[in-house]
PDB file of all heavy atoms in Angstrom:
ATOM      1  N   GLU A   1       0.833  -1.211   0.000  1.00 72.00           N
ATOM      2  CA  GLU A   1       0.000   0.000   0.000  1.00 72.00           C
ATOM      3  C   GLU A   1       0.870   1.264   0.000  1.00 72.00           C
ATOM      4  O   GLU A   1       0.592   2.228  -0.709  1.00 72.00           O
ATOM      5  CB  GLU A   1      -0.912  -0.001   1.223  1.00 72.00           C
ATOM      6  CG  GLU A   1      -1.908   1.132   1.250  1.00 72.00           C
ATOM      7  CD  GLU A   1      -2.844   1.029   2.435  1.00 72.00           C
ATOM      8  OE1 GLU A   1      -3.451  -0.042   2.625  1.00 72.00           O
ATOM      9  OE2 GLU A   1      -2.956   2.040   3.173  1.00 72.00           O
ATOM     10  N   ARG A   2       1.945   1.255   0.779  1.00 69.00           N
ATOM     11  CA  ARG A   2       2.830   2.415   0.832  1.00 69.00           C
ATOM     12  C   ARG A   2       3.567   2.647  -0.480  1.00 69.00           C
ATOM     13  O   ARG A   2       3.952   3.764  -0.798  1.00 69.00           O
ATOM     14  CB  ARG A   2       3.849   2.260   1.969  1.00 69.00           C
ATOM     15  CG  ARG A   2       3.315   2.722   3.305  1.00 69.00           C
ATOM     16  CD  ARG A   2       4.406   2.792   4.355  1.00 69.00           C
ATOM     17  NE  ARG A   2       4.961   1.511   4.710  1.00 69.00           N
ATOM     18  CZ  ARG A   2       4.397   0.612   5.511  1.00 69.00           C
ATOM     19  NH1 ARG A   2       3.219   0.879   6.035  1.00 69.00           N
ATOM     20  NH2 ARG A   2       4.995  -0.517   5.793  1.00 69.00           N
ATOM     21  N   LEU A   3       3.767   1.576  -1.254  1.00 65.00           N
ATOM     22  CA  LEU A   3       4.446   1.729  -2.544  1.00 65.00           C
ATOM     23  C   LEU A   3       3.621   2.564  -3.510  1.00 65.00           C
ATOM     24  O   LEU A   3       4.163   3.274  -4.346  1.00 65.00           O
ATOM     25  CB  LEU A   3       4.746   0.365  -3.169  1.00 65.00           C
ATOM     26  CG  LEU A   3       5.832  -0.448  -2.503  1.00 65.00           C
ATOM     27  CD1 LEU A   3       5.929  -1.816  -3.151  1.00 65.00           C
ATOM     28  CD2 LEU A   3       7.157   0.266  -2.552  1.00 65.00           C
ATOM     29  N   GLY A   4       2.302   2.444  -3.408  1.00 61.00           N
ATOM     30  CA  GLY A   4       1.416   3.233  -4.259  1.00 61.00           C
ATOM     31  C   GLY A   4       1.406   2.769  -5.705  1.00 61.00           C
ATOM     32  O   GLY A   4       1.982   1.752  -6.055  1.00 61.00           O
ATOM     33  N   GLY A   5       0.741   3.543  -6.545  1.00 62.00           N
ATOM     34  CA  GLY A   5       0.577   3.189  -7.951  1.00 62.00           C
ATOM     35  C   GLY A   5       1.839   3.372  -8.779  1.00 62.00           C
ATOM     36  O   GLY A   5       2.126   2.587  -9.667  1.00 62.00           O
ATOM     37  N   GLU A   6       2.591   4.415  -8.514  1.00 65.00           N
ATOM     38  CA  GLU A   6       3.843   4.670  -9.229  1.00 65.00           C
ATOM     39  C   GLU A   6       4.980   4.057  -8.439  1.00 65.00           C
ATOM     40  O   GLU A   6       5.403   4.593  -7.420  1.00 65.00           O
ATOM     41  CB  GLU A   6       4.070   6.173  -9.391  1.00 65.00           C
ATOM     42  CG  GLU A   6       3.361   6.764 -10.576  1.00 65.00           C
ATOM     43  CD  GLU A   6       3.821   6.161 -11.897  1.00 65.00           C
ATOM     44  OE1 GLU A   6       5.027   6.047 -12.143  1.00 65.00           O
ATOM     45  OE2 GLU A   6       2.927   5.802 -12.684  1.00 65.00           O
ATOM     46  N   LEU A   7       5.467   2.944  -8.886  1.00 67.00           N
ATOM     47  CA  LEU A   7       6.497   2.212  -8.161  1.00 67.00           C
ATOM     48  C   LEU A   7       7.843   2.925  -8.268  1.00 67.00           C
ATOM     49  O   LEU A   7       8.395   3.058  -9.357  1.00 67.00           O
ATOM     50  CB  LEU A   7       6.609   0.799  -8.738  1.00 67.00           C
ATOM     51  CG  LEU A   7       7.506  -0.163  -7.984  1.00 67.00           C
ATOM     52  CD1 LEU A   7       6.893  -0.485  -6.622  1.00 67.00           C
ATOM     53  CD2 LEU A   7       7.678  -1.438  -8.776  1.00 67.00           C
ATOM     54  N   PRO A   8       8.385   3.387  -7.140  1.00 67.00           N
ATOM     55  CA  PRO A   8       9.720   3.991  -7.178  1.00 67.00           C
ATOM     56  C   PRO A   8      10.774   2.895  -7.337  1.00 67.00           C
ATOM     57  O   PRO A   8      10.473   1.720  -7.171  1.00 67.00           O
ATOM     58  CB  PRO A   8       9.835   4.668  -5.803  1.00 67.00           C
ATOM     59  CG  PRO A   8       8.939   3.867  -4.923  1.00 67.00           C
ATOM     60  CD  PRO A   8       7.817   3.387  -5.810  1.00 67.00           C
ATOM     61  N   GLU A   9      11.989   3.284  -7.649  1.00 69.00           N
ATOM     62  CA  GLU A   9      13.052   2.287  -7.803  1.00 69.00           C
ATOM     63  C   GLU A   9      13.221   1.466  -6.537  1.00 69.00           C
ATOM     64  O   GLU A   9      13.459   0.265  -6.601  1.00 69.00           O
ATOM     65  CB  GLU A   9      14.369   2.956  -8.199  1.00 69.00           C
ATOM     66  CG  GLU A   9      14.391   3.343  -9.654  1.00 69.00           C
ATOM     67  CD  GLU A   9      15.784   3.662 -10.151  1.00 69.00           C
ATOM     68  OE1 GLU A   9      16.766   3.123  -9.617  1.00 69.00           O
ATOM     69  OE2 GLU A   9      15.867   4.448 -11.095  1.00 69.00           O
ATOM     70  N   SER A  10      13.079   2.093  -5.392  1.00 71.00           N
ATOM     71  CA  SER A  10      13.189   1.343  -4.141  1.00 71.00           C
ATOM     72  C   SER A  10      12.057   0.327  -4.001  1.00 71.00           C
ATOM     73  O   SER A  10      12.191  -0.662  -3.285  1.00 71.00           O
ATOM     74  CB  SER A  10      13.179   2.298  -2.948  1.00 71.00           C
ATOM     75  OG  SER A  10      11.942   2.992  -2.882  1.00 71.00           O
ATOM     76  N   GLY A  11      10.966   0.548  -4.706  1.00 77.00           N
ATOM     77  CA  GLY A  11       9.847  -0.386  -4.675  1.00 77.00           C
ATOM     78  C   GLY A  11      10.199  -1.736  -5.261  1.00 77.00           C
ATOM     79  O   GLY A  11       9.662  -2.774  -4.854  1.00 77.00           O
ATOM     80  N   VAL A  12      11.113  -1.754  -6.221  1.00 83.00           N
ATOM     81  CA  VAL A  12      11.568  -3.026  -6.801  1.00 83.00           C
ATOM     82  C   VAL A  12      12.210  -3.865  -5.702  1.00 83.00           C
ATOM     83  O   VAL A  12      11.954  -5.063  -5.581  1.00 83.00           O
ATOM     84  CB  VAL A  12      12.566  -2.783  -7.962  1.00 83.00           C
ATOM     85  CG1 VAL A  12      13.167  -4.087  -8.445  1.00 83.00           C
ATOM     86  CG2 VAL A  12      11.884  -2.050  -9.101  1.00 83.00           C
ATOM     87  N   VAL A  13      13.008  -3.220  -4.880  1.00 83.00           N
ATOM     88  CA  VAL A  13      13.677  -3.916  -3.779  1.00 83.00           C
ATOM     89  C   VAL A  13      12.645  -4.436  -2.779  1.00 83.00           C
ATOM     90  O   VAL A  13      12.725  -5.579  -2.330  1.00 83.00           O
ATOM     91  CB  VAL A  13      14.698  -2.981  -3.088  1.00 83.00           C
ATOM     92  CG1 VAL A  13      15.284  -3.618  -1.854  1.00 83.00           C
ATOM     93  CG2 VAL A  13      15.787  -2.589  -4.075  1.00 83.00           C
ATOM     94  N   VAL A  14      11.668  -3.599  -2.443  1.00 83.00           N
ATOM     95  CA  VAL A  14      10.641  -4.008  -1.486  1.00 83.00           C
ATOM     96  C   VAL A  14       9.844  -5.185  -2.042  1.00 83.00           C
ATOM     97  O   VAL A  14       9.576  -6.159  -1.324  1.00 83.00           O
ATOM     98  CB  VAL A  14       9.712  -2.828  -1.117  1.00 83.00           C
ATOM     99  CG1 VAL A  14       8.552  -3.297  -0.256  1.00 83.00           C
ATOM    100  CG2 VAL A  14      10.499  -1.741  -0.405  1.00 83.00           C
ATOM    101  N   LEU A  15       9.461  -5.139  -3.320  1.00 86.00           N
ATOM    102  CA  LEU A  15       8.745  -6.269  -3.918  1.00 86.00           C
ATOM    103  C   LEU A  15       9.599  -7.534  -3.877  1.00 86.00           C
ATOM    104  O   LEU A  15       9.089  -8.627  -3.615  1.00 86.00           O
ATOM    105  CB  LEU A  15       8.351  -5.959  -5.370  1.00 86.00           C
ATOM    106  CG  LEU A  15       7.148  -5.071  -5.574  1.00 86.00           C
ATOM    107  CD1 LEU A  15       6.952  -4.775  -7.064  1.00 86.00           C
ATOM    108  CD2 LEU A  15       5.887  -5.697  -5.003  1.00 86.00           C
ATOM    109  N   GLY A  16      10.890  -7.393  -4.143  1.00 90.00           N
ATOM    110  CA  GLY A  16      11.781  -8.550  -4.084  1.00 90.00           C
ATOM    111  C   GLY A  16      11.851  -9.133  -2.688  1.00 90.00           C
ATOM    112  O   GLY A  16      11.772 -10.351  -2.498  1.00 90.00           O
ATOM    113  N   ASP A  17      11.988  -8.264  -1.704  1.00 86.00           N
ATOM    114  CA  ASP A  17      12.032  -8.738  -0.319  1.00 86.00           C
ATOM    115  C   ASP A  17      10.700  -9.339   0.104  1.00 86.00           C
ATOM    116  O   ASP A  17      10.660 -10.328   0.844  1.00 86.00           O
ATOM    117  CB  ASP A  17      12.425  -7.597   0.613  1.00 86.00           C
ATOM    118  CG  ASP A  17      13.886  -7.206   0.450  1.00 86.00           C
ATOM    119  OD1 ASP A  17      14.666  -8.003  -0.121  1.00 86.00           O
ATOM    120  OD2 ASP A  17      14.244  -6.102   0.884  1.00 86.00           O
ATOM    121  N   LEU A  18       9.629  -8.760  -0.375  1.00 86.00           N
ATOM    122  CA  LEU A  18       8.304  -9.286  -0.065  1.00 86.00           C
ATOM    123  C   LEU A  18       8.125 -10.678  -0.657  1.00 86.00           C
ATOM    124  O   LEU A  18       7.679 -11.605   0.026  1.00 86.00           O
ATOM    125  CB  LEU A  18       7.223  -8.337  -0.578  1.00 86.00           C
ATOM    126  CG  LEU A  18       5.778  -8.800  -0.452  1.00 86.00           C
ATOM    127  CD1 LEU A  18       5.441  -9.170   0.980  1.00 86.00           C
ATOM    128  CD2 LEU A  18       4.837  -7.717  -0.961  1.00 86.00           C
ATOM    129  N   ALA A  19       8.481 -10.845  -1.919  1.00 90.00           N
ATOM    130  CA  ALA A  19       8.361 -12.169  -2.554  1.00 90.00           C
ATOM    131  C   ALA A  19       9.201 -13.201  -1.804  1.00 90.00           C
ATOM    132  O   ALA A  19       8.719 -14.302  -1.498  1.00 90.00           O
ATOM    133  CB  ALA A  19       8.788 -12.097  -4.022  1.00 90.00           C
ATOM    134  N   SER A  20      10.434 -12.848  -1.481  1.00 89.00           N
ATOM    135  CA  SER A  20      11.305 -13.774  -0.746  1.00 89.00           C
ATOM    136  C   SER A  20      10.729 -14.120   0.619  1.00 89.00           C
ATOM    137  O   SER A  20      10.733 -15.279   1.030  1.00 89.00           O
ATOM    138  CB  SER A  20      12.698 -13.164  -0.559  1.00 89.00           C
ATOM    139  OG  SER A  20      13.378 -13.091  -1.774  1.00 89.00           O
ATOM    140  N   ALA A  21      10.234 -13.103   1.317  1.00 85.00           N
ATOM    141  CA  ALA A  21       9.681 -13.326   2.653  1.00 85.00           C
ATOM    142  C   ALA A  21       8.456 -14.237   2.602  1.00 85.00           C
ATOM    143  O   ALA A  21       8.322 -15.150   3.420  1.00 85.00           O
ATOM    144  CB  ALA A  21       9.319 -11.990   3.296  1.00 85.00           C
ATOM    145  N   LEU A  22       7.586 -13.998   1.646  1.00 85.00           N
ATOM    146  CA  LEU A  22       6.395 -14.839   1.523  1.00 85.00           C
ATOM    147  C   LEU A  22       6.775 -16.283   1.194  1.00 85.00           C
ATOM    148  O   LEU A  22       6.213 -17.225   1.757  1.00 85.00           O
ATOM    149  CB  LEU A  22       5.455 -14.274   0.455  1.00 85.00           C
ATOM    150  CG  LEU A  22       4.754 -12.968   0.829  1.00 85.00           C
ATOM    151  CD1 LEU A  22       4.122 -12.328  -0.404  1.00 85.00           C
ATOM    152  CD2 LEU A  22       3.705 -13.213   1.906  1.00 85.00           C
ATOM    153  N   LEU A  23       7.725 -16.459   0.297  1.00 90.00           N
ATOM    154  CA  LEU A  23       8.154 -17.808  -0.068  1.00 90.00           C
ATOM    155  C   LEU A  23       8.797 -18.518   1.130  1.00 90.00           C
ATOM    156  O   LEU A  23       8.492 -19.675   1.405  1.00 90.00           O
ATOM    157  CB  LEU A  23       9.118 -17.769  -1.257  1.00 90.00           C
ATOM    158  CG  LEU A  23       8.486 -17.330  -2.576  1.00 90.00           C
ATOM    159  CD1 LEU A  23       9.564 -16.994  -3.606  1.00 90.00           C
ATOM    160  CD2 LEU A  23       7.537 -18.398  -3.110  1.00 90.00           C
ATOM    161  N   ARG A  24       9.679 -17.817   1.842  1.00 85.00           N
ATOM    162  CA  ARG A  24      10.317 -18.411   3.024  1.00 85.00           C
ATOM    163  C   ARG A  24       9.308 -18.652   4.130  1.00 85.00           C
ATOM    164  O   ARG A  24       9.426 -19.611   4.885  1.00 85.00           O
ATOM    165  CB  ARG A  24      11.431 -17.505   3.544  1.00 85.00           C
ATOM    166  CG  ARG A  24      12.725 -17.644   2.810  1.00 85.00           C
ATOM    167  CD  ARG A  24      13.887 -16.980   3.548  1.00 85.00           C
ATOM    168  NE  ARG A  24      13.591 -15.709   4.170  1.00 85.00           N
ATOM    169  CZ  ARG A  24      13.659 -14.523   3.576  1.00 85.00           C
ATOM    170  NH1 ARG A  24      14.022 -14.438   2.314  1.00 85.00           N
ATOM    171  NH2 ARG A  24      13.378 -13.417   4.234  1.00 85.00           N
ATOM    172  N   GLY A  25       8.330 -17.775   4.236  1.00 82.00           N
ATOM    173  CA  GLY A  25       7.317 -17.894   5.279  1.00 82.00           C
ATOM    174  C   GLY A  25       6.264 -18.944   4.996  1.00 82.00           C
ATOM    175  O   GLY A  25       5.414 -19.213   5.830  1.00 82.00           O
ATOM    176  N   GLY A  26       6.302 -19.533   3.799  1.00 84.00           N
ATOM    177  CA  GLY A  26       5.384 -20.618   3.479  1.00 84.00           C
ATOM    178  C   GLY A  26       4.155 -20.223   2.683  1.00 84.00           C
ATOM    179  O   GLY A  26       3.342 -21.085   2.341  1.00 84.00           O
ATOM    180  N   ASP A  27       3.987 -18.962   2.365  1.00 85.00           N
ATOM    181  CA  ASP A  27       2.836 -18.522   1.561  1.00 85.00           C
ATOM    182  C   ASP A  27       3.258 -18.564   0.089  1.00 85.00           C
ATOM    183  O   ASP A  27       3.495 -17.537  -0.544  1.00 85.00           O
ATOM    184  CB  ASP A  27       2.414 -17.114   1.986  1.00 85.00           C
ATOM    185  CG  ASP A  27       1.047 -16.729   1.429  1.00 85.00           C
ATOM    186  OD1 ASP A  27       0.563 -17.405   0.495  1.00 85.00           O
ATOM    187  OD2 ASP A  27       0.482 -15.729   1.920  1.00 85.00           O
ATOM    188  N   ILE A  28       3.348 -19.774  -0.436  1.00 91.00           N
ATOM    189  CA  ILE A  28       3.919 -20.021  -1.760  1.00 91.00           C
ATOM    190  C   ILE A  28       3.107 -19.366  -2.871  1.00 91.00           C
ATOM    191  O   ILE A  28       3.676 -18.733  -3.766  1.00 91.00           O
ATOM    192  CB  ILE A  28       4.069 -21.536  -2.020  1.00 91.00           C
ATOM    193  CG1 ILE A  28       4.913 -22.191  -0.915  1.00 91.00           C
ATOM    194  CG2 ILE A  28       4.640 -21.809  -3.402  1.00 91.00           C
ATOM    195  CD1 ILE A  28       6.305 -21.645  -0.773  1.00 91.00           C
ATOM    196  N   ASP A  29       1.801 -19.500  -2.823  1.00 90.00           N
ATOM    197  CA  ASP A  29       0.964 -18.916  -3.885  1.00 90.00           C
ATOM    198  C   ASP A  29       1.110 -17.398  -3.942  1.00 90.00           C
ATOM    199  O   ASP A  29       1.301 -16.818  -5.005  1.00 90.00           O
ATOM    200  CB  ASP A  29      -0.507 -19.288  -3.694  1.00 90.00           C
ATOM    201  CG  ASP A  29      -0.786 -20.754  -3.953  1.00 90.00           C
ATOM    202  OD1 ASP A  29       0.020 -21.406  -4.648  1.00 90.00           O
ATOM    203  OD2 ASP A  29      -1.805 -21.256  -3.441  1.00 90.00           O
TER     204      ASP A  29
END
């Protein structure tokens, strides 16, 4: 939600960390 509609360059990093965290945390889908 904080990333908003216009993804800043730092948003790429946050999305990457989010994907990794979800995968490691077991929320595979």
Side-chain angles (χ1 to χ4, degrees):
E1 186 176 308
R2 275 190 294 282
L3 289 175
E6 276 299 312
L7 188 68
E9 283 195 28
S10 63
V12 173
V13 173
V14 173
L15 282 176
D17 289 343
L18 174 55
S20 290
L22 290 166
L23 292 166
R24 278 193 320 273
D27 193 344
I28 304 300
D29 290 339

